[in-house]
Amino acid sequence: MRIIDVIVIGTTVMLMLGIIVILLVMLQQKMVISHKLVIKDKDLQLQRERLIAVLQGQEQERKRIAEDLHDEVGAQLSVLKLNLGGLQPLLKTGNGEAERLKETKEFTDVIIQQLRFISQSLHPQALDNLGLAHALDSFCNLMNKNKQVKIAFKIAGNGQPVDREKALNTYRVVQELINNILKHAQASEVVITYQTTPSLLTITVADNGNGALLTSLADSRKKAGSLGLKNIESRLNIIGGSINFTPGTPQGTIATISVENYQSAAQNS
Amino acid sequence: MTGIELLVLIPFLLNYKSLDKASKCIFFYIISSLVFAGGSTLVLHLMGNNMWFFSLMHFVQFVILSTLYWYCIHNETMRTIIKYMPVLILGIFIFDFFWVEGFRAFNSISSGVKHLVLLVYGLYFFLQMLRDRNLIERAIYIDSLPVFWYNSGIFIFSCTEFLFCISYNHLQTLQSTGLTKIGMTMAILSINYIVGMISMILLYIGFSKIKKLKHANY
């Protein structure tokens, strides 16, 4: 083989080698990145599972405390109220004992009401028995008894049943929103609208407050330790829902919660 | 080949202000290639032999590309080597130019060493990009980076040129003694021209990636 042939072949081989090196570098880096992305996805999945486990544990504990309060302490207070009622005919008149007993009975009533409110807030029994729409309605009635803000509940559509986990998380989100409105918005009226289509559950929470909810949410996003908004976002993330805040007209804030495919697999089939 | 260099130069020239340091080095490299191509023809017509101009331009291009790698490579030891390498290469060029092959023949030793060093720089830069944790963590593919395409262009060109450069002096001797056919020499030159064009296209692809990166607001 002549030297010139060697050069031609060698040059071509070198060119091929150069191209192969470049292609290998590109391929290798793409493989490394896709591997890292797979690991990242697994991490996210693990974090999601942990979050679900934490929230489920939290709900179970809330349910247990709510049941204990309702069944044990609530029952005992009812017995106390009955006993107080039984004492009434035995009292002597003239020294104001009857009035004091009446006051004590009324105070016991207040305690029973508050206990029901706490128990209901901790775990809404209506959610398990009657579904999300009724639980929200019941929550509104309960809030109307205890607070200055008037909360109205409107239902549009036929109120199709919601998957239990999604219903519980959506309920908690609405609860958190109402808490935020009470804390920051200085609203006198809140309207909760519940709407369902076969594939989409939409709940709007509109208040007539100062619109401070939007700024408070923007601040919360910047703060590392803001639990309320994180709680809302985490819960919606778990159930595949989303929330959107818009300023209301002429004032206030409108929060729109959307949950797609909200019905359980069994209900769908 | 001057045509494609001129074509590739136009977008670099039009966007000169927005070019980063590496892209500016490539811009000067393309200009040097143009001067190399045009100048060698001119020198040939004026003086009859343009081999000294080849040596000069090879060294100028080496300095420009060393600057590019000095900007792109992060390892401090490697950067120090790149910084002082032109001095060593200059010594080799001078030695080859005056004492070994002379200024009337193609300086195979010095130009071969130049391409060998550039091959090492190119390989090192590829390895650096492969190991770059920042790129992997941010899931940035290296083929979206302008510097990857610049390096690819230079690397492919150096791969092809290396063997040609180290043998061209010998080929000139064979030609002058009539021991080789002109056809095969033309074949080698043609391969080099084609690869030169490919490398210019790769440089242009690198330039087009600057626009995409800006559009993506990185």
Side-chain angles (χ1 to χ4, degrees):
Chain A
M1 196 183 276
R2 288 177 306 166
I3 191 156
I4 201 145
D5 295 333
V6 176
I7 297 162
V8 171
I9 295 165
T11 306
T12 316
V13 169
M14 285 291 279
L15 173 64
M16 292 298 167
L17 276 174
I19 293 168
I20 289 168
V21 166
I22 292 165
L23 290 176
L24 278 176
V25 166
M26 281 165 72
L27 197 73
Q28 166 72 5
Q29 203 247 8
K30 281 189 178 174
M31 278 168 66
V32 171
I33 286 183
S34 48
H35 180 66
K36 286 264 175 189
L37 287 174
V38 168
I39 292 172
K40 213 173 178 179
D41 280 351
K42 279 183 183 169
D43 273 356
L44 282 173
Q45 183 63 26
L46 197 70
Q47 276 180 17
R48 197 179 132 88
E49 281 167 11
R50 278 183 190 151
L51 185 67
I52 291 170
V54 167
L55 289 173
Q56 276 177 351
Q58 199 183 49
E59 286 302 334
Q60 277 172 7
E61 194 58 16
R62 278 180 172 186
K63 193 179 175 187
R64 192 188 63 76
I65 296 168
E67 280 170 358
D68 281 358
L69 281 175
H70 186 267
D71 300 345
E72 308 262 330
V73 186
Q76 284 164 3
L77 281 169
S78 296
V79 173
L80 178 70
K81 193 182 153 189
L82 278 172
N83 286 346
L84 288 171
L87 280 175
Q88 221 161 8
L90 304 174
L91 286 176
K92 290 172 189 172
T93 50
N95 294 331
E97 286 92 344
E99 283 75 24
R100 288 192 70 181
L101 190 68
K102 199 182 164 194
E103 275 172 18
T104 314
K105 218 176 139 186
E106 280 169 2
F107 186 58
T108 314
D109 264 339
V110 171
I111 294 173
I112 290 171
Q113 283 293 328
Q114 281 182 347
L115 194 77
R116 274 190 197 153
F117 178 74
I118 294 167
S119 169
Q120 190 67 17
S121 302
L122 280 171
H123 186 78
Q125 207 61 46
L127 197 67
D128 293 336
N129 303 332
L130 302 165
L132 179 63
H134 283 92
L136 286 173
D137 194 14
S138 167
F139 171 69
C140 292
N141 291 335
L142 210 64
M143 292 298 283
N144 282 332
K145 281 180 194 169
N146 290 276
K147 300 282 174 181
Q148 295 294 315
V149 183
K150 190 189 164 205
I151 304 175
F153 182 74
K154 287 178 188 170
I155 184 161
N158 54 4
Q160 284 158 6
V162 183
D163 173 65
R164 202 192 160 277
E165 194 200 341
K166 289 181 179 176
L168 182 63
N169 283 306
T170 312
Y171 181 88
R172 292 287 180 222
V173 169
V174 175
Q175 212 176 14
E176 187 64 47
L177 281 174
I178 298 291
N179 281 339
N180 281 341
I181 290 169
L182 295 176
K183 265 193 232 170
H184 307 287
Q186 292 173 342
S188 61
E189 213 174 288
V190 179
V191 179
I192 300 175
T193 314
Y194 182 94
Q195 199 170 13
T196 53
T197 64
S199 61
L200 186 70
L201 163 71
T202 315
I203 298 171
T204 52
V205 182
D207 69 74
N208 66 345
N210 53 12
L213 200 63
L214 283 172
T215 46
S216 98
L217 285 165
D219 291 343
S220 300
R221 280 206 171 87
K222 287 173 197 162
K223 283 179 198 166
S226 168
L227 290 174
L229 185 67
K230 279 200 177 71
N231 200 12
I232 289 173
E233 283 174 345
S234 308
R235 283 183 183 276
L236 287 173
N237 185 28
I238 287 169
I239 60 170
S242 60
I243 191 162
N244 182 33
F245 294 95
T246 46
T249 43
Q251 57 180 5
T253 311
I254 301 170
T256 310
I257 304 159
S258 308
V259 183
E260 285 178 5
N261 304 319
Y262 61 91
Q263 298 186 62
S264 63
Q267 285 161 356
N268 275 330
S269 60
Chain B
M1 217 181 110
T2 318
I4 193 160
E5 282 155 353
L6 202 63
L7 275 176
V8 175
L9 186 71
I10 293 166
F12 276 89
L13 198 66
L14 291 174
N15 297 281
Y16 181 76
K17 280 183 183 173
S18 60
L19 296 179
D20 58 355
K21 284 172 181 172
S23 301
K24 278 180 183 165
C25 288
I26 290 298
F27 170 74
F28 289 119
Y29 174 70
I30 298 168
I31 288 179
S32 75
S33 299
L34 267 171
V35 174
F36 197 164
S40 54
T41 315
L42 191 71
V43 172
L44 182 70
H45 282 295
L46 292 175
M47 301 172 78
N49 185 310
N50 58 4
M51 286 300 118
W52 64 269
F53 190 71
F54 270 61
S55 293
L56 175 73
M57 288 314 294
H58 270 299
F59 182 71
V60 170
Q61 287 193 330
F62 179 78
V63 173
I64 293 169
L65 293 177
S66 291
T67 317
L68 166 77
Y69 285 113
W70 189 78
Y71 281 130
C72 295
I73 289 171
H74 304 316
N75 183 281
E76 279 306 317
T77 318
M78 196 65 189
R79 277 167 68 94
T80 314
I81 292 169
I82 293 169
K83 197 175 171 181
Y84 294 108
M85 189 56 86
V87 181
L88 179 68
I89 294 292
L90 180 65
I92 294 169
F93 266 81
I94 290 168
F95 186 68
D96 196 16
F97 192 78
F98 290 109
W99 287 285
V100 185
E101 289 164 324
F103 56 88
R104 295 191 69 80
F106 185 82
N107 288 179
S108 282
I109 298 168
S110 50
S111 58
V113 170
K114 169 207 158 187
H115 284 295
L116 187 68
V117 173
L118 286 176
L119 276 175
V120 174
Y121 288 172
L123 266 178
Y124 187 89
F125 188 48
F126 277 138
L127 286 174
Q128 178 190 290
M129 280 194 277
L130 270 183
R131 288 178 298 191
D132 196 329
R133 292 188 70 83
N134 188 34
L135 291 180
I136 293 166
E137 275 161 17
R138 290 167 65 195
I140 298 172
Y141 291 115
I142 47 175
D143 56 7
S144 65
L145 300 174
V147 279
F148 170 77
W149 292 103
Y150 296 156
N151 191 35
S152 299
I154 296 158
F155 187 73
I156 281 193
F157 189 62
S158 295
C159 275
T160 322
E161 279 279 295
F162 174 65
L163 218 61
F164 167 76
C165 283
I166 57 170
S167 60
Y168 195 61
N169 187 279
H170 183 65
L171 285 176
Q172 278 183 328
T173 320
L174 287 178
Q175 270 178 20
S176 62
T177 52
L179 284 172
T180 185
K181 286 177 185 171
I182 196 85
M184 288 308 273
T185 315
M186 288 307 286
I188 300 169
L189 283 170
S190 300
I191 293 171
N192 280 286
Y193 280 139
I194 291 163
V195 175
M197 284 178 200
I198 293 169
S199 73
M200 281 296 151
I201 291 166
L202 291 175
L203 296 185
Y204 178 72
I205 293 172
F207 170 78
S208 67
K209 298 288 173 188
I210 306 173
K211 281 185 177 175
K212 280 185 184 168
L213 278 179
K214 274 186 187 159
H215 186 68
N217 201 20
Y218 277 104

